[in-house]
Amino acid sequence: MNSRQLHYFIVLAEELHFGRAAARLNIAQPALSQQLQTLEKQLDCALLLRDRRNVRLTPAGQALLLEARKVVSSVERALAAVDSVKKGLRGTLRLGYVGSSMMDPRLPTLIRLFSERYPDVELKLEETHVEHQLQLLSNDALDIALVRMPLPANADIATQTFSSQPLMAALPEGHPLLKHSKINPAMLSQESFLLLDDPFGMALLDDVLATCRRAGFAPKPGLKVQQLTTLLGLVAAGQGVGLVPTLSGALAMKGVVLRPLTDPEAVSVLCFAWLAKTRNKLVSNLLALGGE
């Protein structure tokens, strides 16, 4: 006995007419009769009584109809649940992100839109640094990550740009360079730099070092910090200068003034990263929204 046989029986029991039931099921009448005979043989009892004029349910048929509807309904719900997961309409999506990415208003907007469009998807958010996110991806502890470029070369990781933000000089109030509307990075060669504690060659740290290299100097290292908010706070405290993404201005920290740079290549790129082999439809749905 299978769900298809039960479905055929339910339709036949509702129509009580082989011709109408076969037409409703879009099968030939002899095929429907054969399915019923097979079902009755399996159950070792008659389910329908039929003569030339009438078709009616036996007591066994009435009992089967009640339970068959429950079984078929349960199977349909199970198949619908599986189909929803396949289409990315339900399930759990584990999204990692670097803390500074929340300063980009596109990210909170994306999270809200995703939650509204896919209300049956549980979105699990985890804030952590770039290197840890890549480890979590490799260990299948994250589905997708939002990180700052560059990343180490890895054929297993696919990426998609989310946003690109020019870097700006973060200077304390009263700094002599604030007389300039734009800062040539070379002007900062004698300053003590506050740097994010990113792995060498990765993320915002690499963007800052690359900007300094193009200007012909290596920055004088000052304190290393974990968060942009800390970096800006130390700038306000007169402990050094920094290069930060444009949207850091959203923090509006007292005692810090941001100035654009003259270097058009000085940018910080946020991108999504995920395992290239993934077939997770939830990831595809988020990427599609993020690219709109």
Side-chain angles (χ1 to χ4, degrees):
M1 184 189 307
N2 56 50
S3 60
R4 183 178 68 173
Q5 289 174 318
L6 292 178
H7 176 58
Y8 286 176
F9 171 71
I10 291 170
V11 172
L12 184 55
E14 290 173 348
E15 295 292 343
L16 293 178
H17 189 282
F18 279 82
R20 290 195 301 270
R24 182 172 154 189
L25 291 166
N26 198 29
I27 62 174
Q29 185 172 325
L32 177 60
S33 298
Q34 184 179 11
Q35 288 291 332
L36 177 64
Q37 291 170 8
T38 300
L39 187 58
E40 289 179 324
K41 185 176 181 181
Q42 291 172 342
L43 296 174
D44 193 26
C45 67
L47 299 173
L48 291 172
L49 295 176
R50 47 198 180 276
D51 54 34
R52 292 182 178 180
R53 295 185 178 182
N54 299 304
V55 177
R56 65 184 185 276
L57 290 170
T58 65
Q62 292 173 350
L64 178 62
L65 178 61
L66 180 64
E67 298 303 322
R69 282 174 170 155
K70 296 177 183 177
V71 171
V72 171
S73 179
S74 295
V75 170
E76 289 175 349
R77 287 196 303 271
L79 293 176
V82 171
D83 190 56
S84 292
V85 171
K86 286 167 56 180
K87 293 178 179 177
L89 301 178
R90 69 169 60 185
T92 300
L93 180 64
R94 300 163 300 175
L95 169 64
Y97 65 96
V98 289
S100 60
S101 63
M102 281 295 176
M103 291 185 293
D104 187 332
R106 290 186 61 209
L107 180 56
T109 297
L110 173 63
I111 292 172
R112 177 178 55 79
L113 288 176
F114 185 86
S115 298
E116 290 174 352
R117 188 166 298 187
Y118 303 103
D120 294 326
V121 174
E122 180 185 9
L123 189 59
K124 288 189 174 180
L125 303 173
E126 180 167 350
E127 179 184 348
T128 186
H129 56 81
V130 174
E131 191 172 36
H132 190 219
Q133 288 194 67
L134 296 179
Q135 291 172 354
L136 292 175
L137 282 176
S138 298
N139 295 333
D140 195 31
L142 275 184
D143 299 307
I144 187 167
L146 186 60
V147 297
R148 289 195 183 275
M149 297 292 277
L151 300 178
N154 188 336
D156 295 333
I157 299 292
T159 61
Q160 175 179 300
T161 298
F162 178 64
S163 68
S164 181
Q165 305 155 8
L167 293 181
M168 302 185 77
L171 304 171
E173 281 184 351
H175 194 285
L177 290 179
L178 290 176
K179 64 184 180 183
H180 301 281
S181 60
K182 286 190 175 183
I183 302 296
N184 185 324
M187 298 174 180
L188 302 172
S189 61
Q190 300 305 309
E191 302 289 339
S192 177
F193 268 74
L194 299 163
L195 300 170
L196 284 181
D197 193 19
D198 294 324
F200 186 77
M202 294 171 61
L204 187 57
L205 174 62
D206 190 77
D207 292 330
V208 172
L209 296 179
T211 299
C212 294
R213 282 196 302 270
R214 286 192 300 273
F217 73 99
K220 291 181 178 180
L223 294 173
K224 281 199 170 184
V225 299
Q226 299 295 323
Q227 301 288 340
L228 277 177
T229 50
T230 305
L231 188 152
L232 293 172
L234 289 171
V235 170
Q239 298 304 300
V241 302
L243 298 182
V244 297
T246 300
L247 291 170
S248 300
L251 296 176
M253 186 167 291
K254 185 177 180 181
V256 179
V257 180
L258 301 183
R259 283 284 190 268
L261 301 177
T262 58
D263 181 2
E265 296 182 51
V267 295
S268 177
V269 176
L270 279 171
C271 74
F272 286 113
W274 68 96
L275 289 178
K277 66 181 180 181
T278 188
R279 295 295 180 267
N280 190 333
K281 185 63 177 176
L282 297 171
V283 170
S284 301
N285 289 345
L286 181 70
L287 291 171
L289 270 183
E292 289 181 359

